[in-house]
Amino acid sequence: MPNRLTDLGWVLAVGLVWLIGCEAASVQAAGQLDQSFGVSRGYSVLPLNQGGLDRDQARAIGLRPDGRIVLAGFTQTASGTVAGLYQVTKQGLPDSSFGEGDGKATFLDPSEPALSVFILAMVLQSDGQILLAGEREGLPGSSNSGIVLRGRADGSGLDSGFGTAGVVVIGEMRAVYAIAL
């Protein structure tokens, strides 16, 4: 099976730009930054900036069949940390068809909205839905739990047909570090 990234001549990387946001970069197959990707110099800084704290981290990346790129991680808000998604075009610019029209989407555990959620892994399903996995902060006096969430393909919210309101909490597991179909 061909690798879609190398077929396109891309190597994609995500990371953290401290106090600004997460970052996506495109590296050409030969190892140079792709200067046509993003806003400038081959990368895009993508602040989710929910709550004005500017502490966003991308921990996973996925590529849709049409070349759009989904970044998953978490963002810190005034009340805690929530799952954060960012979708960009294959040129590295925010995708206005995703989330609230700005390429951004955030999710929390609806059963315990006060608990922080840290996304550590992601996989895109063939139908476009987004499976996220990570860690949910524990209630006072209890341990953290592993968590799996499924978001709608367009970033408009969690898929209520999955688990309980789009969420599966795995209490026996402190965190989910990887996920696959």
Side-chain angles (χ1 to χ4, degrees):
M1 183 169 137
N3 179 313
R4 291 183 296 185
L5 289 176
T6 53
D7 289 349
L8 296 171
W10 292 353
V11 175
L12 297 173
V14 295
L16 165 70
V17 181
W18 187 245
L19 296 180
I20 296 175
C22 56
E23 180 177 41
S26 175
V27 180
Q28 296 171 339
Q32 295 84 23
L33 279 175
D34 177 358
Q35 300 295 321
S36 67
F37 182 85
V39 180
S40 67
R41 301 190 315 255
Y43 61 88
S44 287
V45 175
L46 307 163
L48 284 165
N49 197 19
Q50 304 294 316
L53 297 178
D54 292 328
R55 291 191 177 100
D56 307 326
Q57 292 190 32
R59 294 293 181 104
I61 189 167
L63 184 66
R64 295 200 185 269
D66 63 2
R68 290 179 297 157
I69 304 158
V70 180
L71 295 93
F74 47 89
T75 183
Q76 194 172 18
T77 70
S79 60
T81 302
V82 298
L85 293 174
Y86 215 120
Q87 183 165 290
V88 297
T89 64
K90 59 186 171 185
Q91 293 80 25
L93 303 173
D95 182 355
S96 62
S97 70
F98 188 80
E100 296 180 16
D102 55 3
K104 305 174 192 178
T106 56
F107 307 127
L108 50 79
D109 179 355
S111 69
E112 295 288 351
L115 299 181
S116 292
V117 174
F118 302 90
I119 296 303
L120 306 172
M122 173 189 63
V123 67
L124 298 176
Q125 294 184 195
S126 61
D127 64 359
Q129 302 233 64
I130 305 163
L131 278 173
L132 304 164
E135 180 178 7
R136 187 186 78 174
E137 175 184 57
L139 293 166
S142 67
S143 297
N144 292 1
S145 299
I147 191 167
V148 178
L149 304 91
R150 185 163 70 189
R152 294 188 199 111
D154 64 1
S156 63
L158 293 174
D159 173 14
S160 62
F162 178 79
T164 302
V167 177
V168 176
V169 176
I170 309 169
E172 297 79 24
M173 195 180 290
R174 297 257 339 218
V176 178
Y177 294 105
I179 190 167
L181 293 175

